Amino acid sequence: MIDGKKVLFSGMQATGNLTLGNYLGALKNWVSLSDEYLCFYSVVDMHSITVRQDPAVLRKRARSLLILYIAAGLDPEKNCLYYQSHVSGHAELSWILNCFTYMGELNRMTQFKDKASKHGDNINAGLFTYPVLMAADILLYQADVVPVGADQMQHLEITRDIAERFNNIYGDVFTIPEAYVGKVGARIMSLQDPSKKMSKSDENPNGGIYLMDDADTVMRKCKRAVTDSEGTFLYREEQPGLKNLIDIYSVCTGKTPDEVVQEFDGRGYGDFKMAVGEAVTSILNPLQKEAARLEKEKDYVDSIIKENAEKAGYYARKTLRKVQKKVGFPVRV
């Protein structure tokens, strides 16, 4: 807890292009949290290099992601928006925590197995110890809560295990983080395979709507979205493609799924897909305009990057100095 507020940490990787799923499932909901929590939202560019990146592209995407944070409504005065790589404490704490993490724990991480199967020519140590860096991200700011989906719960569990192990040896050093249990963001699925989450790494470009897609592209993807041959307009698991589109339309318009079903009952899927495309465009358009404006405000964005890195660094150093003293490193003079 800092200044009477609980601390919340989250971040996104600076790889690929953010999707509508990233926005509706996470980013949109982050905006309302700054009143209740002191929020640290990182562009986790250090995590990104476990897979080979084009340096110029990575730098550009990192800046674009930070701009999207602001364009989505995250106030940089209330929230700490920063690059992970600009705070050296992430790497320093990660090394220390590596020495308190067991090989067996890392071997059980499903994300390592998944990524290793996809990048067999680059199974590096960073990919293996990725969960330790993630633990350092969270523990560095003494985070009380972390918003996580089901696919990230394993990372939070190992973070808690590492923190508890360290605390058992050295005393009450780390806050043990909990999963954020507030308002849950919408779980948006692929438009082409509704059994999978909409992902920025989807090999099928029609599977995801990206935040920078123009209106024509959004409409085209919605028209091509998988539904079914039943022809009945119902919100149920047996019609996953239609259910996904109803979820998207529901979140974009503020209507409940039942209200959406009543609105389109008796109308064809084609009409509904058009309406979904228009609803998505209506929420993406203001975001895109604000991002375009911020892209031109170089000095302003640079000042945010500098000031927020200093703010994050201040809190990171407080934790890191405590940890360094506990493990026996010489005091800095």
Side-chain angles (χ1 to χ4, degrees):
M1 186 171 288
I2 299 175
D3 298 331
K5 279 188 172 183
K6 287 188 174 182
V7 177
L8 180 147
F9 175 88
S10 194
M12 293 185 181
Q13 282 204 47
T15 53
N17 297 305
L18 288 192
T19 68
L20 182 68
N22 296 129
Y23 178 67
L24 298 181
L27 192 51
K28 181 175 181 287
N29 297 296
W30 287 359
V31 177
S32 62
L33 297 175
S34 60
D35 292 333
E36 184 178 356
Y37 298 98
L38 177 60
C39 301
F40 291 84
Y41 294 122
S42 181
V43 174
V44 288
D45 47 352
M46 291 170 66
H47 286 292
S48 301
I49 64 170
T50 57
V51 176
R52 295 286 177 263
Q53 304 291 334
D54 180 308
V57 172
L58 180 60
R59 274 190 289 272
K60 182 177 180 181
R61 283 180 170 167
R63 188 178 182 89
S64 295
L65 178 53
L66 190 133
I67 284 174
L68 274 174
Y69 281 177
I70 305 168
L74 291 176
D75 184 346
E77 297 293 327
K78 292 183 177 181
N79 305 277
C80 189
L81 316 175
Y82 71 100
Y83 295 138
Q84 181 189 30
S85 62
H86 282 195
V87 180
S88 61
H90 286 266
E92 293 184 72
L93 182 58
S94 182
W95 169 250
I96 295 172
L97 296 184
N98 266 315
C99 301
F100 293 84
T101 306
Y102 299 134
M103 295 286 286
E105 292 175 309
L106 296 177
N107 271 322
R108 289 193 293 271
M109 300 302 290
T110 55
Q111 191 174 71
F112 169 71
K113 297 173 184 176
D114 180 54
K115 286 196 172 186
S117 67
K118 294 178 181 177
H119 305 281
D121 59 340
N122 183 29
I123 305 175
N124 55 73
L127 196 62
F128 187 65
T129 60
Y130 181 104
V132 184
L133 178 57
M134 187 175 285
D137 298 339
I138 297 166
L139 300 178
L140 194 59
Y141 302 101
Q142 303 289 355
D144 295 279
V145 292
V146 183
V148 289
D151 55 340
Q152 292 293 322
M153 189 58 72
Q154 193 181 31
H155 285 108
L156 182 60
E157 289 171 355
I158 194 173
T159 297
R160 287 171 54 84
D161 290 342
I162 295 168
E164 288 172 350
R165 183 175 301 132
F166 194 94
N167 285 357
N168 287 337
I169 299 171
Y170 297 109
D172 189 16
V173 178
F174 293 121
T175 299
I176 307 299
E178 302 284 347
Y180 172 67
V181 292
K183 181 180 178 182
V184 178
R187 183 174 170 83
I188 305 302
M189 313 305 283
S190 165
L191 297 181
Q192 293 299 309
D193 183 357
S195 68
K196 299 178 181 177
K197 268 202 327 181
M198 186 178 287
S199 169
K200 57 185 178 178
S201 60
D202 196 329
E203 295 179 358
N204 187 337
N206 291 312
I209 295 172
Y210 302 111
L211 296 192
M212 292 296 109
D213 279 348
D214 60 34
D216 289 342
T217 302
V218 170
M219 190 62 72
R220 185 180 71 252
K221 290 181 177 181
C222 286
K223 286 180 178 178
R224 293 178 177 175
V226 170
T227 47
D228 54 68
S229 58
E230 293 191 28
T232 54
F233 202 95
L234 296 171
Y235 183 73
R236 56 179 186 165
E237 298 295 337
E238 290 80 6
Q239 293 174 271
L242 180 60
K243 181 179 181 294
N244 187 41
L245 291 177
I246 292 174
D247 282 332
I248 293 171
Y249 187 78
S250 176
V251 177
C252 290
T253 61
K255 298 177 181 179
T256 67
D258 285 343
E259 289 172 337
V260 178
V261 170
Q262 289 178 9
E263 181 181 352
F264 289 92
D265 185 33
R267 296 166 62 179
Y269 291 165
D271 285 350
F272 180 55
K273 289 179 179 181
M274 292 279 288
V276 173
E278 290 168 359
V280 171
T281 299
S282 71
I283 67 164
L284 292 189
N285 187 257
L287 178 72
Q288 293 169 354
K289 286 182 177 178
E290 180 62 6
R293 185 189 71 80
L294 289 167
E295 289 281 3
K296 298 174 183 177
E297 300 288 338
K298 184 178 184 301
D299 291 344
Y300 170 67
V301 174
D302 286 347
S303 70
I304 289 173
I305 291 170
K306 183 175 185 296
E307 291 167 9
N308 279 226
E310 290 172 352
K311 180 179 178 180
Y314 168 76
Y315 289 112
R317 283 190 296 274
K318 289 180 71 173
T319 296
L320 191 59
R321 296 296 173 261
K322 183 189 293 186
V323 171
Q324 289 169 333
K325 182 179 180 181
K326 289 291 186 181
V327 298
F329 291 172
V331 176
R332 301 189 185 194
V333 294

